């Protein structure tokens, strides 16, 4: 065993022999931190990369999958994000900002899971008493749940082997440490070692494991990003801590599709499912105000309607400010340039703020039209029709490009009582008939702005 100093990027996990201001692998700035690693002389130690035990070659028809039946969590929204439920022997990483609700949701599902499964909840963050108090509040009383507060992985592994739970929850990866290696808990080496150990146990003993990882803004402790390649699935919690909505998104899923989201609302007794997110995201929207537009984004298989708000105000001094929440800033900068150059809106001397209401993050092309309309509506100070939904990608010449799943999106808008929908004309040919919503197809944004503002 030999100790070696390396510099590890907290964003991508790349190791470099010397310190750099910029990570040579992912290009992030100021993310390298010093770490010591133990180089083992024998191959196949704790860091061995293979987790599946040795097998003999077999044809597909001879491989039994019957054990892969999904375990339901009691929360349909969570099951969907997991790809239909929990898979035995899988390691799922649950990431998110501190305080967003990771521990809450994991404790909450124990009540339903406890009906048929034994659960071991290992916490390195709270005392047994604190967790008990929270469990009381969440209505968790199952006898099949055991709480264990420990941070030393050697003891945890021993306990897992003794208890042999069906479901294991480890909260959080940043507090756990392996006493045999040097670095402090929370360093890249330690969290990788913890994840690798849990992955091995999950596979060997067929234990479905949830691993909590805090997303950290900067430096000293490493975030879940560096674990993404080790684990089977990665779910991230989105939303703002001080707002009620919480969105769980699958970033990686070996057992289902990614891009699915689950929507929840934080209440005084835990997280409540929101089966119809569009309705929730649209509640309380201002009517007859300028700078607000409804758009539709596809989240996996589901169309979700959301309100985008824009505020364009003359810049007082210096460079105009551009700020966004929930949408990529670069997308908005591009759309502003299109508005300026192709429509002739003199928006370069205006500060522009764009915000998706409700804490949803979206990056899909078909939201462009809605963003353009919200900005133009604020700039001209004219409200849009409150029954209007805008769908379509906008290109650099101001053209409106076709998008996928258009019928599903229109159907969702119709279901929620919207009466007008702007769609790309390239898509309009093959559409089925809609009774309650009128479709307006366009191929360029100039005409849309003329007709609707
Ligand atoms: P928590 O689940 O501990 O977050 P994490 O494990 O991701 O760090 O915290 C959730 C937050 O939600 C915390 O600020 C308290 C609040 N909360 C509620 O509003 N209602 C509840 O029923 C519970 C348990 C927590
Ligand atoms: Mg927690």
């Amino acid at each position: 065993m030999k100790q070696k100093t390396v510099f590890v990027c907290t964003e991508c996990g790349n190791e470099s022999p010397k310190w750099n201001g910029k990570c040579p692998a992912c290009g992030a700035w100021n993310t390298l931190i010093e770490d010591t690693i133990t180089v083992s002389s024998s191959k196949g130690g704790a860091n061995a990369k293979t987790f599946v035990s040795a097998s003999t070659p077999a044809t597909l028809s001879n491989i039994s999958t019957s054990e892969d039946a999904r375990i339901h969590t009691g929360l349909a929204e969570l099951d969907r994000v997991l790809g239909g439920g929990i898979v035995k022997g899988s390691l799922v990483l649950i990431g998110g900002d501190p305080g967003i609700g990771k521990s809450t949701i994991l404790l909450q599902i124990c009540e339903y899971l406890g009906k048929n499964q034994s659960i071991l909840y290992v916490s390195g963050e709270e005392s047994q008493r604190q967790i008990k108090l929270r469990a009381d509040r969440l209505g968790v009383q199952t006898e099949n749940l055991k709480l264990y507060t420990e941070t030393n992985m050697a003891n945890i592994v021993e306990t897992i082997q003794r208890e042999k739970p069906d479901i294991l929850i480890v909260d959080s990866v940043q507090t756990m440490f392996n006493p045999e290696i040097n670095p402090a808990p929370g360093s890249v080496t330690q969290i990788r070692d913890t994840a690798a150990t849990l992955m091995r146990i999950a596979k060997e003993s067929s234990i479905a494991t949830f691993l909590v990882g805090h997303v950290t803004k900067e430096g000293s402790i490493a975030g879940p990003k560096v674990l993404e390649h080790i684990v089977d699935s990665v779910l991230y919690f989105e939303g703002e801590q001080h707002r009620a909505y919480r969105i769980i998104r699958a970033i990686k899923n070996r057992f289902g599709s990614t891009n699915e989201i689950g929507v929840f609302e934080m209440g005084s007794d835990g997280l409540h499912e929101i089966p119809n997110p569009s309705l929730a995201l649209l509640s309380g929207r201002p009517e007859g105000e300028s700078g607000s537009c409804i758009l539709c984004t596809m989240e996996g298989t589901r169309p979700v309607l959301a309100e985008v708000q824009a505020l364009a105000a003359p810049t007082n001094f210096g460079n105009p400010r551009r700020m966004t929440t929930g949408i990529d800033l670069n997308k908005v900068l591009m759309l502003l340039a299109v508005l300026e150059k192709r429509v002739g809106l003199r928006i370069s001397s205006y500060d522009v703020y764009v915000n998706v209401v409700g804490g949803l993050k979206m990056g899909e092309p078909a939201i462009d039209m809605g963003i353009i309309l919200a900005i133009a509506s604020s700039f001209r100070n004219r409200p849009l029709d409150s029954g209007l939904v805008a769908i379509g990608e906008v290109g650099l010449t101001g053209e409106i490009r076709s998008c996928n799943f258009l019928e599903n999106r229109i159907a969702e808008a119709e279901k929620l009582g919207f009466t007008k929908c702007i769609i790309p004309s390239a898509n309009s040919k093959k559409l089925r008939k809609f009774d309650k919503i009128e479709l307006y197809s366009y191929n360029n944004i100039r005409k849309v702005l003329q007709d609707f503002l």
Side-chain angles (χ1 to χ4, degrees), residues 99 101-104 121 125-126 134 171-172 212 214:
K102 302 180 294 295
S103 310
T104 305
Y121 189 117
E125 304 212 325
E126 290 152 308
R134 179 185 300 212
D171 188 1
S172 66
V212 171
H214 295 293

Side-chain angles (χ1 to χ4, degrees), residues 13-226:
N14 181 60
E15 287 172 14
S16 332
K18 61 183 187 13
W19 192 85
N20 282 300
K22 185 177 171 185
C23 170
C26 69
W29 288 93
N30 269 332
T31 54
L32 296 203
I33 55 169
E34 191 174 344
D35 206 353
T36 33
I37 56 169
T38 309
V39 190
S40 144
S41 44
S42 68
K43 290 209 173 91
N47 289 324
K49 286 273 182 313
T50 46
F51 303 111
V52 185
S53 56
S55 69
T56 47
T59 56
L60 287 175
S61 57
N62 284 338
I63 300 173
S64 150
T65 53
S66 56
E67 283 172 321
D68 293 349
R70 305 277 179 151
I71 304 166
H72 294 291
T73 61
L75 292 175
E77 291 286 302
L78 183 60
D79 285 346
R80 179 189 20 254
V81 180
L82 287 167
I86 305 171
V87 176
K88 270 191 187 163
S90 66
L91 177 58
V92 179
L93 176 67
I94 305 224
D97 292 331
I100 195 96
K102 302 180 294 295
S103 310
T104 305
I105 198 166
L106 289 175
L107 190 57
Q108 199 174 333
I109 57 175
C110 287
E111 179 65 17
Y112 186 91
L113 290 173
K115 287 181 187 158
N116 296 308
Q117 322 281 338
S118 59
I119 309 156
L120 179 65
Y121 189 117
V122 185
S123 178
E125 304 212 325
E126 290 152 308
S127 67
Q128 281 175 324
R129 197 175 157 269
Q130 273 174 318
I131 302 172
K132 161 86 168 108
L133 286 173
R134 179 185 300 212
D136 286 345
R137 198 138 49 87
L138 297 172
V140 178
Q141 299 160 336
T142 174
E143 287 297 311
N144 277 331
L145 168 66
K146 285 193 181 160
L147 297 178
Y148 177 45
T149 48
E150 176 60 88
T151 54
N152 183 334
M153 280 303 286
N155 298 343
I156 293 171
V157 169
E158 214 184 280
T159 309
I160 297 169
Q161 273 153 2
R162 194 173 56 236
E163 297 284 335
K164 293 197 172 43
D166 298 317
I167 311 251
L168 172 69
I169 297 169
V170 177
D171 188 1
S172 66
V173 66
Q174 276 104 351
T175 53
M176 303 299 159
F177 72 98
N178 176 351
E180 281 170 29
I181 53 179
N182 236 347
S187 65
V188 174
T189 312
Q190 284 286 7
I191 70 169
R192 271 204 208 147
D193 188 84
T194 301
T197 306
L198 292 173
M199 187 70 168
R200 184 168 46 77
I201 297 174
K203 298 290 171 238
E204 278 171 5
S205 314
S206 215
I207 300 174
T209 308
F210 287 100
L211 181 59
V212 171
H214 295 293
V215 171
T216 53
K217 288 286 178 292
E218 72 229 21
S220 60
I221 48 176
K225 268 242 147 23
V226 300

Side-chain angles (χ1 to χ4, degrees), residues 14 45 71 111 116-117 119 124 146 186 203 214 217 254 258 267 298 339 366 374 382 395 397 421 427 430 438 442:
N14 181 60
I71 304 166
E111 179 65 17
N116 296 308
Q117 322 281 338
I119 309 156
K146 285 193 181 160
K203 298 290 171 238
H214 295 293
K217 288 286 178 292
R254 284 191 182 144
T258 52
M298 289 303 290
L339 274 173
R382 287 185 214 145
T397 71
C421 188
N427 273 127
K430 296 166 286 197
E438 209 163 333
Y442 287 92

